């Protein structure tokens, strides 16, 4: 079941299943979601949760928005304000293209499918300009810069360098301490 949603003046459709934030232009093709604009919604506690166009929670944007809305000491109410829903969510491994790493603001863990089975590597930034580059420059937390083709699939987990994902496919990341 879907319902119409307006995002940046454009009508799209959203899945109404309880655990599904997927949006589409109505074609049924999940790849169409990659082109959708980001959006935000208000949860049942009144907190604003930001989403990427794919329906994936934008944890950084949600946390930044929550920090901007925190009242100062003089504005404190006696009743505590509930934390945004995104704070308690378990990290997820999301399947993306290598070129999309350039849109990740705070870095994270990446596992590129075409690489040898080295597994997960923490990256701090990725740069890709399709008009000038043929590869994506990925800077890993150890300082190494690796150039990768932009098209291979990869798994991405938004998590800091002190933990490491143990999953090998999309879904819960199951982070372990390093």
């Amino acid at each position: 079941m879907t319902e119409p949603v307006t995002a940046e003046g454009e009508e799209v459709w959203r899945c109404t299943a309880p655990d599904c934030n997927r949006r589409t232009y109505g074609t049924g093709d999940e790849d169409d979601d990659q082109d959708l604009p980001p959006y935000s919604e208000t949860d049942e506690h009144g907190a604003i949760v930001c989403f990427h166009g794919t329906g994936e929670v934008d944890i950084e944007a949600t946390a930044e928005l929550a920090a901007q809305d925190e009242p100062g000491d003089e504005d404190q109410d006696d009743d505590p304000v509930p934390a945004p829903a995104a704070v308690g969510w378990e990290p997820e491994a999301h399947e993306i293209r290598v070129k999309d790493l350039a849109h990740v603001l705070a870095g994270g863990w990446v596992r590129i499918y075409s690489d040898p089975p080295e597994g997960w590597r923490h990256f701090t930034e990725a740069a890709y300009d399709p008009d000038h580059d043929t590869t994506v420059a990925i800077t890993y937390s150890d300082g190494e810069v690796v150039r990768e083709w932009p098209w291979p699939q990869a798994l991405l987990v938004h998590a800091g360098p002190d933990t490491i994902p143990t999953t090998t496919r999309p879904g819960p990341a199951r982070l372990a301490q390093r």
Side-chain angles (χ1 to χ4, degrees):
M1 184 83 175
T2 60
E3 67 181 5
V5 175
T6 302
E8 293 187 8
E10 191 170 347
E11 187 171 281
V12 295
W13 296 89
R14 181 179 67 193
C15 177
T16 58
D19 294 336
C20 179
N21 289 315
R22 187 174 171 276
R23 301 183 309 155
T24 183
Y25 284 108
T27 64
D29 184 357
E30 289 188 22
D31 291 338
D32 290 343
D33 288 356
Q34 299 298 325
D35 299 326
L36 292 172
Y39 66 105
S40 62
E41 292 182 353
T42 304
D43 70 7
E44 64 274 4
H45 302 293
I48 297 175
V49 180
C50 301
F51 295 88
H52 295 287
T54 59
E56 171 188 340
V57 175
D58 186 338
I59 294 173
E60 291 89 7
T62 300
E64 184 176 324
L65 192 58
Q68 291 174 1
D69 290 340
E70 287 181 1
D73 290 339
E74 66 279 351
D75 297 329
Q76 286 283 27
D77 293 338
D78 292 336
D79 297 330
V81 178
V87 172
W89 291 354
E90 181 175 339
E92 292 275 323
H94 297 278
E95 199 166 41
I96 65 168
R97 295 246 180 234
V98 170
K99 66 181 182 167
D100 295 329
L101 292 174
H103 301 293
V104 178
L105 299 177
W109 287 94
V110 66
R111 185 170 196 261
I112 300 171
Y113 290 152
S114 64
D115 282 353
E118 298 163 349
W120 292 95
R121 291 190 72 186
H122 191 268
F123 76 101
T124 55
E125 75 177 290
Y128 175 63
D129 181 358
D131 295 330
H132 299 99
D133 298 329
T134 58
T135 59
V136 179
I138 303 171
T139 304
Y140 290 102
S141 56
D142 62 4
E144 181 181 10
V145 177
V146 176
R147 297 193 82 65
E148 297 279 355
W149 292 110
W151 308 283
Q153 291 289 105
L155 285 179
L156 170 67
V157 173
H158 294 282
D162 55 331
T163 59
I164 186 167
T166 59
T167 188
T168 58
R169 57 185 187 193
R174 297 178 297 227
L175 298 176
Q177 290 297 114
R178 285 181 49 160

